[in-house]
Amino acid sequence: MHLRLLSLILLLLVCKVFAQGYQNLTLQNCIEIAKKNSLALTAAKLSEKTAASTLQQAKFARLPGLSGSVSQRVSDSPLLEDSEASYGFSMGLNSSMPIFTAGRIGHSVSRAGYLKEVAELNSEAVARNLSEQVIRAYMQVWSLIESENSAKASLVLSKKMLAKDSILFQSGSFTASDLALAFAQVASDSLSLLQVQSNLIQNYTALRQLLEIPANNAFSLLPPDSAKVDTTESYASLLALAQQNSIDKKMDSLSVLAATEAIGVANAARYPSMSLSGSLSSGLRWEIEDPRYQNQLKNGFGYTASLSLNIPIVDWGSAKDGVLQAQVAQERAQITAINTQKQLENTIEQLALQVETYRLQWEVSTIQMEAQKLALDKSVQQHELGMLDISSLIQQQTIFNNSQIRHNQAKYSYLLGKSLLNLQIGKF
């Protein structure tokens, strides 16, 4: 009985922990969950395994190979009258190893090593791209959450004014047109709230799907933990940090090195190559009267050893074409590296400008929103005292709502740009 009770308690605890596993997530939590559940990142990790295997095989090319052979033969001449079938059995071991390859193996090993590093960096690039998607989705959700709170506050105020104006209308202090304006404002604020909530649900769902969290799991977010304004570093310092932490630049550098080694591999086809090979073999024949097959195997034992020199004479331009193809691939890799550098410079410059612009807009919009809030509160008081008509109140409420929208846009544009900039310079 006690064992059953203990099992039930443990099951409830496990269910509680599982249910809370996706609640109150920070931005960093979201990124970690996305990386853990991402199929694209898992697929990229598989490429690392194949690249590691390719490097290992390239190293093994230096070592001698070993193969075995077993054969059973039968021969006869059925058109001859006295012909008898002859049966034989043979087996052997063969081995060979390269002696000189004009650097082909060495270049192949180096190239495979660079490509292995590229595969590892590609996984990091996939993870960083996934992080950027999560950052954008997370900030969009919180922007809409704040928009929803603002829309709810506006609707509460509109309903409050409608209730008061309805009493004034019944007492004859309010006209029907004034009451209609109050009704219209409530309807407008209700529609705005519905639209914001619809967008919020869609973006919440998009973020949950991006994290690969099942729909039946509890899912909630904590607000950004960096909701403060900081001055932006200089473009030069940001670019220097971005270059140090750029995955694409590292991949491009390794790709250029791998392309250079590919030229060495292709160029080796122009030169002679030398290899050492050997074999051990023995066999027996079934038609021999002596059944002591051990003697046959002993007497039939033999070995061969050879040193081969392969000299290319006429290849109809095959080696030259291979070198040309490798050189073109190297030039393309170099062009890609230059383009990556330019794109990085442009990205950092644009992000730095955007972050600084939104930082100033956030500071200004905060002051403006606070001022408009005070103006709205005063307008509400004046309306309640009968000193301000409903049309003027609605106008002031609209001004305040627009200031909230500008503030929200500036705030989350700044937080988004700052997070993306930190992601680029390795501070995220």
Side-chain angles (χ1 to χ4, degrees):
M1 188 66 170
H2 293 291
L3 183 59
R4 290 183 178 179
L5 180 60
L6 180 61
S7 300
L8 180 60
I9 293 174
L10 290 175
L11 180 60
L12 292 175
L13 289 175
V14 170
C15 293
K16 183 177 181 181
V17 171
F18 182 75
Q20 294 179 346
Y22 298 114
Q23 293 186 10
N24 300 324
L25 300 179
T26 64
L27 176 57
Q28 188 63 44
N29 294 148
C30 291
I31 292 176
E32 292 172 356
I33 292 172
K35 290 180 180 179
K36 180 181 178 181
N37 297 336
S38 172
L39 296 178
L41 188 55
T42 301
K45 293 290 184 181
L46 294 176
S47 298
E48 293 184 29
K49 294 183 179 180
T50 57
S53 178
T54 301
L55 174 59
Q56 188 178 39
Q57 291 302 311
K59 292 179 178 179
F60 285 162
R62 293 191 176 107
L63 304 178
L66 181 64
S67 63
S69 62
V70 178
S71 64
Q72 172 72 51
R73 68 173 180 81
V74 57
S75 60
D76 195 3
S77 300
L79 299 180
L80 299 178
E81 294 181 359
D82 298 331
S83 175
E84 294 183 0
S86 174
Y87 300 91
F89 173 81
S90 63
M91 55 186 176
L93 290 175
N94 301 280
S95 179
S96 63
M97 66 175 296
I99 301 298
F100 175 75
T101 61
R104 176 180 57 82
I105 294 179
H107 288 302
S108 296
V109 170
S110 298
R111 180 174 181 271
Y114 292 137
L115 293 179
K116 177 179 177 294
E117 294 183 52
V118 169
E120 294 170 351
L121 288 172
N122 183 64
S123 297
E124 295 183 25
V126 172
R128 179 170 290 188
N129 182 62
L130 182 62
S131 299
E132 180 177 340
Q133 294 179 50
V134 172
I135 290 172
R136 292 183 182 277
Y138 175 90
M139 293 301 179
Q140 181 64 23
V141 166
W142 269 105
S143 176
L144 289 169
I145 288 176
E146 291 206 8
S147 297
E148 181 189 33
N149 294 334
S150 299
K152 286 180 178 179
S154 296
L155 181 59
V156 169
L157 177 60
S158 298
K159 287 182 176 180
K160 179 182 176 181
M161 293 298 100
L162 175 61
K164 182 175 179 58
D165 293 346
S166 297
I167 296 174
L168 294 175
F169 174 75
Q170 293 175 0
S171 65
S173 301
F174 237 53
T175 65
S177 60
D178 289 335
L179 187 62
L181 286 175
F183 269 111
Q185 185 62 29
V186 171
S188 176
D189 289 342
S190 299
L191 179 59
S192 297
L193 177 59
L194 288 174
Q195 291 175 339
V196 171
Q197 289 177 333
S198 176
N199 291 335
L200 178 58
I201 292 173
Q202 292 178 9
N203 282 272
Y204 230 115
T205 302
L207 177 58
R208 179 183 56 77
Q209 292 175 347
L210 185 61
L211 303 186
E212 300 289 347
I213 296 177
N216 57 345
N217 285 67
F219 175 53
S220 62
L221 303 173
L222 288 176
D225 56 3
S226 59
K228 59 181 181 179
V229 180
D230 295 322
T231 56
T232 308
E233 299 180 46
S234 66
Y235 168 70
S237 61
L238 290 173
L239 180 59
L241 291 172
Q243 289 175 337
Q244 293 175 6
N245 292 276
S246 174
I247 297 175
D248 291 336
K249 279 183 63 65
K250 295 176 182 178
M251 292 175 62
D252 289 342
S253 298
L254 290 170
S255 296
V256 172
L257 293 175
T260 303
E261 296 298 336
I263 295 176
V265 173
N267 196 50
R270 294 174 169 177
Y271 299 95
S273 62
M274 184 179 296
S275 63
L276 178 64
S277 60
S279 64
L280 302 174
S281 62
S282 184
L284 55 87
R285 294 173 58 188
W286 303 113
E287 68 271 12
I288 297 179
E289 294 181 357
D290 187 353
R292 291 174 295 181
Y293 299 127
Q294 181 178 358
N295 290 339
Q296 287 194 47
L297 292 174
K298 178 180 179 181
N299 295 331
F301 175 77
Y303 66 89
T304 60
S306 62
L307 183 64
S308 302
L309 179 65
N310 181 28
I311 303 174
I313 298 176
V314 178
D315 64 354
W316 305 108
S318 176
K320 182 179 180 180
D321 178 69
V323 173
L324 178 62
Q325 296 287 347
Q327 289 174 340
V328 171
Q330 182 194 44
E331 292 178 7
R332 287 177 177 170
Q334 291 171 340
I335 293 173
T336 300
I338 296 172
N339 186 53
T340 297
Q341 174 64 25
K342 290 182 178 180
Q343 289 181 348
L344 181 63
E345 293 174 358
N346 294 338
T347 298
I348 298 302
E349 184 177 13
Q350 291 174 0
L351 282 175
L353 290 174
Q354 290 173 2
V355 167
E356 185 62 17
T357 299
Y358 289 129
R359 181 184 72 83
L360 296 174
Q361 289 182 2
W362 187 7
E363 292 178 344
V364 173
S365 64
T366 300
I367 298 173
Q368 291 177 340
M369 184 181 67
E370 292 174 353
Q372 295 301 332
K373 181 65 170 64
L374 293 175
L376 177 61
D377 292 341
K378 183 178 179 180
S379 297
V380 171
Q381 293 174 357
Q382 291 176 339
H383 178 72
E384 291 177 346
L385 296 174
M387 300 171 59
L388 189 70
D389 58 29
I390 185 64
S391 178
S392 299
L393 176 61
I394 291 174
Q395 183 179 6
Q396 184 58 49
Q397 185 178 359
T398 302
I399 294 174
F400 173 69
N401 291 342
N402 291 336
S403 69
Q404 281 187 311
I405 293 173
R406 289 192 297 269
H407 174 267
N408 187 47
Q409 289 176 343
K411 175 182 177 180
Y412 283 97
S413 295
Y414 169 80
L415 292 177
L416 174 60
K418 188 68 174 178
S419 297
L420 294 178
L421 191 58
N422 288 337
L423 185 66
Q424 290 285 344
I425 64 179
K427 288 186 177 182
F428 195 83

